[in-house]
Amino acid sequence: MGINLVKKANLRRLGGLTLLWLLGLGVLQALPADPRVLRLGLSRVQDTTLLTVILTQSVEARVSAVTAVSTPQLIIIFPNAVAAHLPLDLPGDQALVRQVRTLFTPGRKGVRIILDLIPGRPYVFWRQLRPGPGGMVQFVIGLNPETREESHPSPGLILTRRPRPPSSAPLAARKSSPVGDYGYKIAPRRLESEDFRELGRLAPGAAGVLHVLEKQGWKVTHQSESDRPGQRLIQKFVLTNPRYPILTVRFTHIAGSSAASPDINFITLATDNLTGSEAQRYREMCQWSTNQIKKHFEDIGDYYSDGLKPLRIILRRQSQAEALRNFEVFRQFLTAAVPQHPQLTDDLLAHLKEKVNQRLEGVQYTLSENPLVILNMEDFLFARVYFLGQVS
């Protein structure tokens, strides 16, 4: 009798613990997952530049304009969102946006999207949160050129109350645009000469090519900086020129740690902003997760051979055509960067005229060993020159 009572009590206790465990599990399952930033894209509709961010759910967003830099920026921060696979940068529309950059740590909260804007082009912006397909949410930032004449323009930041979605947007979306959103008018601000002096300080050996780039009208954008304990300081800059929307110049400085480990600087002239459906498709596929690849291809080998390789062959052909079309830019770049090897431009021209081999995705040539000059002809073509030395 007593033993049976003990067994019943133990069963009741076990049942109670099981119920509590199940209730706790239900509570954990009911807790919402962190909102995720899945993808983003930049597009142009009439006179409106649109940044569209796809999220799994509605999320807090902070939007701010920065003008105290050589290149104005519009920064969007999702402090409570996470991201796993996003492009580190996207080309801009070259109307208002020079480029789009993302900063995030996979699996950790905090996603920052930076629009590097083109100086001297005032704008207003608006924002919307729209329902998307499959239960997703679309966070949209729209930028329009500001054309109003100011009776007393002043430098710095000027607030305007004029959010206006593109006329092609649905009527409901246009009516729901929040009245409290602000646009910004940014006065022209020229610090390019100071930026080029900074690059010249980092890479004295590159003074000649930097002078040519500045004279041609290239503008400097400070892209990123990494300065972590135990690692070298790395500074990256991007230069763009509205006369050559397909081309970019990238400057990278890796600080030396000792006399035996000098500074490494390299300047790259590239066809990074190549447009077209193939280029866009290639950029998207390069960002695919393993699950996305499995949806379209049986194995990873097919993804590379049947998916990326045909696109890379097309992009190589298009990049060569763009480089030939802008050969004078490449010629002046190499002539100024490596004046001691005048034959490099002839070598470059010969490679650009090569017929694309259908069996190869691309090739890379060493045009010079001292200084090191590399011509890369894989997908987005580039010429890169290395400069070694200490910061003066």
Side-chain angles (χ1 to χ4, degrees), residues 284-319:
E284 292 174 354
M285 289 182 63
C286 286
Q287 300 298 324
W288 279 4
S289 65
T290 303
N291 290 334
Q292 288 175 302
I293 293 174
K294 290 180 178 179
K295 289 180 180 179
H296 297 84
F297 299 93
E298 291 186 2
D299 56 52
I300 192 71
D302 293 339
Y303 164 70
Y304 285 106
S305 61
D306 300 335
L308 293 184
K309 182 178 178 180
L311 290 175
R312 298 186 78 175
I313 293 174
I314 294 173
L315 294 180
R316 180 183 171 190
R317 186 182 296 114
Q318 294 176 347
S319 291

mmCIF file of all heavy atoms in Angstrom, residues 284-319:
data_model
loop_
_atom_site.group_PDB
_atom_site.id
_atom_site.type_symbol
_atom_site.label_atom_id
_atom_site.label_comp_id
_atom_site.label_asym_id
_atom_site.label_seq_id
_atom_site.Cartn_x
_atom_site.Cartn_y
_atom_site.Cartn_z
ATOM 1 N N GLU A 284 24.773 38.037 -58.139
ATOM 2 C CA GLU A 284 23.792 37.385 -57.269
ATOM 3 C C GLU A 284 24.199 35.949 -56.959
ATOM 4 O O GLU A 284 24.137 35.508 -55.809
ATOM 5 C CB GLU A 284 22.414 37.410 -57.933
ATOM 6 C CG GLU A 284 21.801 38.799 -58.048
ATOM 7 C CD GLU A 284 20.506 38.780 -58.831
ATOM 8 O OE1 GLU A 284 20.144 37.705 -59.383
ATOM 9 O OE2 GLU A 284 19.846 39.834 -58.926
ATOM 10 N N MET A 285 24.632 35.201 -57.983
ATOM 11 C CA MET A 285 24.986 33.801 -57.781
ATOM 12 C C MET A 285 26.203 33.645 -56.880
ATOM 13 O O MET A 285 26.311 32.662 -56.136
ATOM 14 C CB MET A 285 25.233 33.121 -59.128
ATOM 15 C CG MET A 285 23.981 32.915 -59.951
ATOM 16 S SD MET A 285 24.301 32.059 -61.527
ATOM 17 C CE MET A 285 24.891 30.482 -60.930
ATOM 18 N N CYS A 286 27.113 34.601 -56.933
ATOM 19 C CA CYS A 286 28.299 34.534 -56.067
ATOM 20 C C CYS A 286 27.933 34.695 -54.591
ATOM 21 O O CYS A 286 28.731 34.354 -53.713
ATOM 22 C CB CYS A 286 29.307 35.611 -56.463
ATOM 23 S SG CYS A 286 30.180 35.249 -58.013
ATOM 24 N N GLN A 287 26.755 35.218 -54.307
ATOM 25 C CA GLN A 287 26.310 35.407 -52.936
ATOM 26 C C GLN A 287 25.376 34.291 -52.460
ATOM 27 O O GLN A 287 24.913 34.334 -51.331
ATOM 28 C CB GLN A 287 25.588 36.763 -52.796
ATOM 29 C CG GLN A 287 26.451 37.964 -53.143
ATOM 30 C CD GLN A 287 27.653 38.096 -52.245
ATOM 31 O OE1 GLN A 287 27.572 37.801 -51.048
ATOM 32 N NE2 GLN A 287 28.770 38.540 -52.798
ATOM 33 N N TRP A 288 25.116 33.314 -53.291
ATOM 34 C CA TRP A 288 24.199 32.247 -52.915
ATOM 35 C C TRP A 288 24.731 31.429 -51.754
ATOM 36 O O TRP A 288 25.931 31.160 -51.663
ATOM 37 C CB TRP A 288 23.968 31.315 -54.105
ATOM 38 C CG TRP A 288 22.960 31.814 -55.085
ATOM 39 C CD1 TRP A 288 22.305 33.013 -55.049
ATOM 40 C CD2 TRP A 288 22.517 31.146 -56.267
ATOM 41 N NE1 TRP A 288 21.463 33.132 -56.124
ATOM 42 C CE2 TRP A 288 21.573 31.995 -56.894
ATOM 43 C CE3 TRP A 288 22.817 29.935 -56.847
ATOM 44 C CZ2 TRP A 288 20.939 31.656 -58.069
ATOM 45 C CZ3 TRP A 288 22.181 29.579 -58.022
ATOM 46 C CH2 TRP A 288 21.249 30.430 -58.626
ATOM 47 N N SER A 289 23.840 31.031 -50.892
ATOM 48 C CA SER A 289 24.176 30.104 -49.815
ATOM 49 C C SER A 289 24.178 28.678 -50.367
ATOM 50 O O SER A 289 23.747 28.429 -51.500
ATOM 51 C CB SER A 289 23.163 30.219 -48.682
ATOM 52 O OG SER A 289 21.878 29.810 -49.115
ATOM 53 N N THR A 290 24.637 27.732 -49.549
ATOM 54 C CA THR A 290 24.651 26.330 -49.974
ATOM 55 C C THR A 290 23.242 25.839 -50.305
ATOM 56 O O THR A 290 23.028 25.112 -51.282
ATOM 57 C CB THR A 290 25.270 25.454 -48.880
ATOM 58 O OG1 THR A 290 26.595 25.930 -48.585
ATOM 59 C CG2 THR A 290 25.346 24.009 -49.319
ATOM 60 N N ASN A 291 22.266 26.251 -49.498
ATOM 61 C CA ASN A 291 20.879 25.836 -49.751
ATOM 62 C C ASN A 291 20.358 26.385 -51.077
ATOM 63 O O ASN A 291 19.638 25.693 -51.807
ATOM 64 C CB ASN A 291 19.979 26.281 -48.602
ATOM 65 C CG ASN A 291 20.241 25.502 -47.322
ATOM 66 O OD1 ASN A 291 20.710 24.366 -47.376
ATOM 67 N ND2 ASN A 291 19.944 26.097 -46.191
ATOM 68 N N GLN A 292 20.719 27.625 -51.385
ATOM 69 C CA GLN A 292 20.288 28.202 -52.657
ATOM 70 C C GLN A 292 20.917 27.466 -53.834
ATOM 71 O O GLN A 292 20.268 27.246 -54.860
ATOM 72 C CB GLN A 292 20.652 29.686 -52.701
ATOM 73 C CG GLN A 292 19.799 30.562 -51.802
ATOM 74 C CD GLN A 292 20.275 32.003 -51.797
ATOM 75 O OE1 GLN A 292 21.422 32.289 -51.462
ATOM 76 N NE2 GLN A 292 19.395 32.913 -52.181
ATOM 77 N N ILE A 293 22.186 27.100 -53.691
ATOM 78 C CA ILE A 293 22.857 26.365 -54.763
ATOM 79 C C ILE A 293 22.172 25.022 -54.995
ATOM 80 O O ILE A 293 21.939 24.605 -56.135
ATOM 81 C CB ILE A 293 24.349 26.168 -54.420
ATOM 82 C CG1 ILE A 293 25.079 27.526 -54.421
ATOM 83 C CG2 ILE A 293 25.013 25.208 -55.408
ATOM 84 C CD1 ILE A 293 26.516 27.447 -53.961
ATOM 85 N N LYS A 294 21.820 24.332 -53.905
ATOM 86 C CA LYS A 294 21.191 23.016 -54.022
ATOM 87 C C LYS A 294 19.821 23.082 -54.686
ATOM 88 O O LYS A 294 19.350 22.099 -55.255
ATOM 89 C CB LYS A 294 21.066 22.381 -52.639
ATOM 90 C CG LYS A 294 22.408 21.956 -52.044
ATOM 91 C CD LYS A 294 22.214 21.323 -50.672
ATOM 92 C CE LYS A 294 23.541 20.856 -50.085
ATOM 93 N NZ LYS A 294 23.377 20.265 -48.738
ATOM 94 N N LYS A 295 19.158 24.245 -54.611
ATOM 95 C CA LYS A 295 17.859 24.388 -55.252
ATOM 96 C C LYS A 295 17.975 24.419 -56.771
ATOM 97 O O LYS A 295 17.019 24.094 -57.483
ATOM 98 C CB LYS A 295 17.169 25.668 -54.775
ATOM 99 C CG LYS A 295 16.688 25.626 -53.331
ATOM 100 C CD LYS A 295 16.025 26.940 -52.957
ATOM 101 C CE LYS A 295 15.528 26.926 -51.516
ATOM 102 N NZ LYS A 295 14.911 28.211 -51.123
ATOM 103 N N HIS A 296 19.142 24.826 -57.275
ATOM 104 C CA HIS A 296 19.295 25.005 -58.716
ATOM 105 C C HIS A 296 20.238 23.997 -59.357
ATOM 106 O O HIS A 296 20.169 23.773 -60.579
ATOM 107 C CB HIS A 296 19.815 26.417 -59.012
ATOM 108 C CG HIS A 296 18.889 27.525 -58.598
ATOM 109 N ND1 HIS A 296 18.849 28.018 -57.312
ATOM 110 C CD2 HIS A 296 17.954 28.215 -59.296
ATOM 111 C CE1 HIS A 296 17.939 28.975 -57.230
ATOM 112 N NE2 HIS A 296 17.378 29.111 -58.415
ATOM 113 N N PHE A 297 21.141 23.404 -58.575
ATOM 114 C CA PHE A 297 22.132 22.489 -59.139
ATOM 115 C C PHE A 297 22.223 21.234 -58.273
ATOM 116 O O PHE A 297 22.034 21.292 -57.059
ATOM 117 C CB PHE A 297 23.508 23.165 -59.222
ATOM 118 C CG PHE A 297 23.534 24.383 -60.106
ATOM 119 C CD1 PHE A 297 23.330 25.650 -59.572
ATOM 120 C CD2 PHE A 297 23.744 24.266 -61.468
ATOM 121 C CE1 PHE A 297 23.351 26.780 -60.371
ATOM 122 C CE2 PHE A 297 23.766 25.380 -62.284
ATOM 123 C CZ PHE A 297 23.562 26.636 -61.745
ATOM 124 N N GLU A 298 22.556 20.119 -58.917
ATOM 125 C CA GLU A 298 22.645 18.855 -58.197
ATOM 126 C C GLU A 298 23.813 18.831 -57.219
ATOM 127 O O GLU A 298 23.737 18.249 -56.148
ATOM 128 C CB GLU A 298 22.763 17.698 -59.187
ATOM 129 C CG GLU A 298 21.491 17.456 -59.995
ATOM 130 C CD GLU A 298 21.606 16.216 -60.857
ATOM 131 O OE1 GLU A 298 22.657 15.544 -60.790
ATOM 132 O OE2 GLU A 298 20.647 15.929 -61.606
ATOM 133 N N ASP A 299 24.947 19.422 -57.623
ATOM 134 C CA ASP A 299 26.099 19.459 -56.720
ATOM 135 C C ASP A 299 26.883 20.740 -56.955
ATOM 136 O O ASP A 299 26.617 21.492 -57.905
ATOM 137 C CB ASP A 299 26.998 18.225 -56.894
ATOM 138 C CG ASP A 299 27.463 18.047 -58.331
ATOM 139 O OD1 ASP A 299 28.006 19.010 -58.906
ATOM 140 O OD2 ASP A 299 27.273 16.954 -58.872
ATOM 141 N N ILE A 300 27.862 20.980 -56.092
ATOM 142 C CA ILE A 300 28.631 22.225 -56.147
ATOM 143 C C ILE A 300 29.444 22.317 -57.433
ATOM 144 O O ILE A 300 29.688 23.401 -57.953
ATOM 145 C CB ILE A 300 29.543 22.329 -54.905
ATOM 146 C CG1 ILE A 300 30.126 23.750 -54.772
ATOM 147 C CG2 ILE A 300 30.653 21.296 -54.953
ATOM 148 C CD1 ILE A 300 29.112 24.764 -54.365
ATOM 149 N N GLY A 301 29.857 21.146 -57.974
ATOM 150 C CA GLY A 301 30.614 21.159 -59.220
ATOM 151 C C GLY A 301 29.802 21.705 -60.376
ATOM 152 O O GLY A 301 30.307 22.477 -61.212
ATOM 153 N N ASP A 302 28.524 21.317 -60.445
ATOM 154 C CA ASP A 302 27.647 21.842 -61.500
ATOM 155 C C ASP A 302 27.427 23.339 -61.337
ATOM 156 O O ASP A 302 27.290 24.066 -62.332
ATOM 157 C CB ASP A 302 26.305 21.113 -61.459
ATOM 158 C CG ASP A 302 26.425 19.648 -61.850
ATOM 159 O OD1 ASP A 302 27.412 19.302 -62.511
ATOM 160 O OD2 ASP A 302 25.542 18.857 -61.474
ATOM 161 N N TYR A 303 27.384 23.786 -60.087
ATOM 162 C CA TYR A 303 27.207 25.228 -59.818
ATOM 163 C C TYR A 303 28.340 26.021 -60.469
ATOM 164 O O TYR A 303 28.108 27.071 -61.091
ATOM 165 C CB TYR A 303 27.164 25.447 -58.320
ATOM 166 C CG TYR A 303 27.361 26.867 -57.859
ATOM 167 C CD1 TYR A 303 26.396 27.846 -58.076
ATOM 168 C CD2 TYR A 303 28.530 27.235 -57.191
ATOM 169 C CE1 TYR A 303 26.578 29.153 -57.646
ATOM 170 C CE2 TYR A 303 28.710 28.534 -56.745
ATOM 171 C CZ TYR A 303 27.747 29.493 -56.973
ATOM 172 O OH TYR A 303 27.946 30.784 -56.540
ATOM 173 N N TYR A 304 29.578 25.516 -60.344
ATOM 174 C CA TYR A 304 30.716 26.226 -60.926
ATOM 175 C C TYR A 304 30.817 26.022 -62.436
ATOM 176 O O TYR A 304 31.029 26.987 -63.185
ATOM 177 C CB TYR A 304 32.014 25.768 -60.254
ATOM 178 C CG TYR A 304 32.215 26.326 -58.868
ATOM 179 C CD1 TYR A 304 32.039 25.531 -57.747
ATOM 180 C CD2 TYR A 304 32.563 27.654 -58.684
ATOM 181 C CE1 TYR A 304 32.206 26.038 -56.465
ATOM 182 C CE2 TYR A 304 32.740 28.178 -57.415
ATOM 183 C CZ TYR A 304 32.557 27.371 -56.305
ATOM 184 O OH TYR A 304 32.713 27.887 -55.042
ATOM 185 N N SER A 305 30.649 24.766 -62.884
ATOM 186 C CA SER A 305 30.874 24.480 -64.302
ATOM 187 C C SER A 305 29.719 24.910 -65.188
ATOM 188 O O SER A 305 29.930 25.430 -66.290
ATOM 189 C CB SER A 305 31.147 22.983 -64.487
ATOM 190 O OG SER A 305 30.032 22.207 -64.064
ATOM 191 N N ASP A 306 28.486 24.682 -64.729
ATOM 192 C CA ASP A 306 27.313 25.000 -65.548
ATOM 193 C C ASP A 306 26.689 26.350 -65.212
ATOM 194 O O ASP A 306 25.955 26.905 -66.036
ATOM 195 C CB ASP A 306 26.245 23.910 -65.382
ATOM 196 C CG ASP A 306 26.750 22.544 -65.795
ATOM 197 O OD1 ASP A 306 27.683 22.478 -66.614
ATOM 198 O OD2 ASP A 306 26.220 21.532 -65.286
ATOM 199 N N GLY A 307 26.957 26.854 -63.994
ATOM 200 C CA GLY A 307 26.363 28.116 -63.575
ATOM 201 C C GLY A 307 27.286 29.305 -63.743
ATOM 202 O O GLY A 307 27.013 30.227 -64.514
ATOM 203 N N LEU A 308 28.418 29.297 -63.030
ATOM 204 C CA LEU A 308 29.311 30.453 -63.028
ATOM 205 C C LEU A 308 30.201 30.532 -64.265
ATOM 206 O O LEU A 308 30.429 31.622 -64.796
ATOM 207 C CB LEU A 308 30.179 30.436 -61.773
ATOM 208 C CG LEU A 308 29.467 30.643 -60.436
ATOM 209 C CD1 LEU A 308 30.475 30.692 -59.303
ATOM 210 C CD2 LEU A 308 28.618 31.904 -60.441
ATOM 211 N N LYS A 309 30.716 29.392 -64.719
ATOM 212 C CA LYS A 309 31.689 29.425 -65.823
ATOM 213 C C LYS A 309 31.137 30.088 -67.082
ATOM 214 O O LYS A 309 31.805 30.966 -67.660
ATOM 215 C CB LYS A 309 32.182 28.014 -66.127
ATOM 216 C CG LYS A 309 33.241 27.981 -67.238
ATOM 217 C CD LYS A 309 33.741 26.574 -67.487
ATOM 218 C CE LYS A 309 34.758 26.552 -68.619
ATOM 219 N NZ LYS A 309 35.265 25.185 -68.878
ATOM 220 N N PRO A 310 29.940 29.726 -67.573
ATOM 221 C CA PRO A 310 29.432 30.404 -68.775
ATOM 222 C C PRO A 310 29.296 31.915 -68.573
ATOM 223 O O PRO A 310 29.566 32.692 -69.498
ATOM 224 C CB PRO A 310 28.066 29.746 -69.004
ATOM 225 C CG PRO A 310 28.156 28.422 -68.318
ATOM 226 C CD PRO A 310 29.016 28.658 -67.124
ATOM 227 N N LEU A 311 28.889 32.336 -67.382
ATOM 228 C CA LEU A 311 28.762 33.766 -67.117
ATOM 229 C C LEU A 311 30.120 34.446 -67.107
ATOM 230 O O LEU A 311 30.278 35.566 -67.614
ATOM 231 C CB LEU A 311 28.048 33.988 -65.778
ATOM 232 C CG LEU A 311 26.557 33.640 -65.739
ATOM 233 C CD1 LEU A 311 26.030 33.789 -64.315
ATOM 234 C CD2 LEU A 311 25.763 34.536 -66.683
ATOM 235 N N ARG A 312 31.121 33.770 -66.532
ATOM 236 C CA ARG A 312 32.449 34.380 -66.461
ATOM 237 C C ARG A 312 33.038 34.549 -67.851
ATOM 238 O O ARG A 312 33.744 35.539 -68.124
ATOM 239 C CB ARG A 312 33.371 33.523 -65.593
ATOM 240 C CG ARG A 312 32.916 33.399 -64.158
ATOM 241 C CD ARG A 312 33.925 32.677 -63.301
ATOM 242 N NE ARG A 312 35.018 33.563 -62.946
ATOM 243 C CZ ARG A 312 36.002 33.211 -62.113
ATOM 244 N NH1 ARG A 312 36.009 32.003 -61.577
ATOM 245 N NH2 ARG A 312 36.954 34.058 -61.831
ATOM 246 N N ILE A 313 32.764 33.621 -68.746
ATOM 247 C CA ILE A 313 33.255 33.751 -70.121
ATOM 248 C C ILE A 313 32.613 34.958 -70.798
ATOM 249 O O ILE A 313 33.278 35.743 -71.483
ATOM 250 C CB ILE A 313 32.967 32.454 -70.902
ATOM 251 C CG1 ILE A 313 33.821 31.299 -70.337
ATOM 252 C CG2 ILE A 313 33.244 32.648 -72.392
ATOM 253 C CD1 ILE A 313 33.492 29.953 -70.942
ATOM 254 N N ILE A 314 31.306 35.119 -70.591
ATOM 255 C CA ILE A 314 30.607 36.288 -71.161
ATOM 256 C C ILE A 314 31.151 37.579 -70.564
ATOM 257 O O ILE A 314 31.416 38.553 -71.284
ATOM 258 C CB ILE A 314 29.092 36.168 -70.903
ATOM 259 C CG1 ILE A 314 28.513 34.977 -71.672
ATOM 260 C CG2 ILE A 314 28.383 37.456 -71.314
ATOM 261 C CD1 ILE A 314 27.064 34.682 -71.353
ATOM 262 N N LEU A 315 31.343 37.600 -69.240
ATOM 263 C CA LEU A 315 31.835 38.808 -68.583
ATOM 264 C C LEU A 315 33.246 39.140 -69.018
ATOM 265 O O LEU A 315 33.614 40.317 -69.123
ATOM 266 C CB LEU A 315 31.772 38.639 -67.064
ATOM 267 C CG LEU A 315 30.370 38.518 -66.466
ATOM 268 C CD1 LEU A 315 30.448 38.363 -64.954
ATOM 269 C CD2 LEU A 315 29.525 39.723 -66.828
ATOM 270 N N ARG A 316 34.064 38.109 -69.262
ATOM 271 C CA ARG A 316 35.424 38.378 -69.728
ATOM 272 C C ARG A 316 35.371 39.078 -71.081
ATOM 273 O O ARG A 316 36.106 40.039 -71.335
ATOM 274 C CB ARG A 316 36.212 37.077 -69.826
ATOM 275 C CG ARG A 316 37.639 37.303 -70.298
ATOM 276 C CD ARG A 316 38.412 36.009 -70.462
ATOM 277 N NE ARG A 316 39.680 36.270 -71.115
ATOM 278 C CZ ARG A 316 40.494 35.323 -71.567
ATOM 279 N NH1 ARG A 316 40.165 34.046 -71.416
ATOM 280 N NH2 ARG A 316 41.632 35.626 -72.161
ATOM 281 N N ARG A 317 34.500 38.580 -71.970
ATOM 282 C CA ARG A 317 34.380 39.201 -73.288
ATOM 283 C C ARG A 317 33.895 40.651 -73.153
ATOM 284 O O ARG A 317 34.421 41.568 -73.804
ATOM 285 C CB ARG A 317 33.411 38.392 -74.152
ATOM 286 C CG ARG A 317 33.316 38.871 -75.593
ATOM 287 C CD ARG A 317 32.310 38.058 -76.374
ATOM 288 N NE ARG A 317 32.738 36.660 -76.485
ATOM 289 C CZ ARG A 317 32.095 35.639 -75.911
ATOM 290 N NH1 ARG A 317 30.992 35.873 -75.188
ATOM 291 N NH2 ARG A 317 32.535 34.408 -76.059
ATOM 292 N N GLN A 318 32.901 40.878 -72.292
ATOM 293 C CA GLN A 318 32.381 42.231 -72.104
ATOM 294 C C GLN A 318 33.420 43.144 -71.453
ATOM 295 O O GLN A 318 33.538 44.322 -71.823
ATOM 296 C CB GLN A 318 31.111 42.175 -71.259
ATOM 297 C CG GLN A 318 29.947 41.470 -71.928
ATOM 298 C CD GLN A 318 28.741 41.346 -71.029
ATOM 299 O OE1 GLN A 318 28.817 41.575 -69.821
ATOM 300 N NE2 GLN A 318 27.599 40.956 -71.592
ATOM 301 N N SER A 319 34.174 42.607 -70.489
ATOM 302 C CA SER A 319 35.194 43.407 -69.812
ATOM 303 C C SER A 319 36.304 43.807 -70.776
ATOM 304 O O SER A 319 36.806 44.936 -70.734
ATOM 305 C CB SER A 319 35.784 42.629 -68.639
ATOM 306 O OG SER A 319 34.835 42.467 -67.605
#
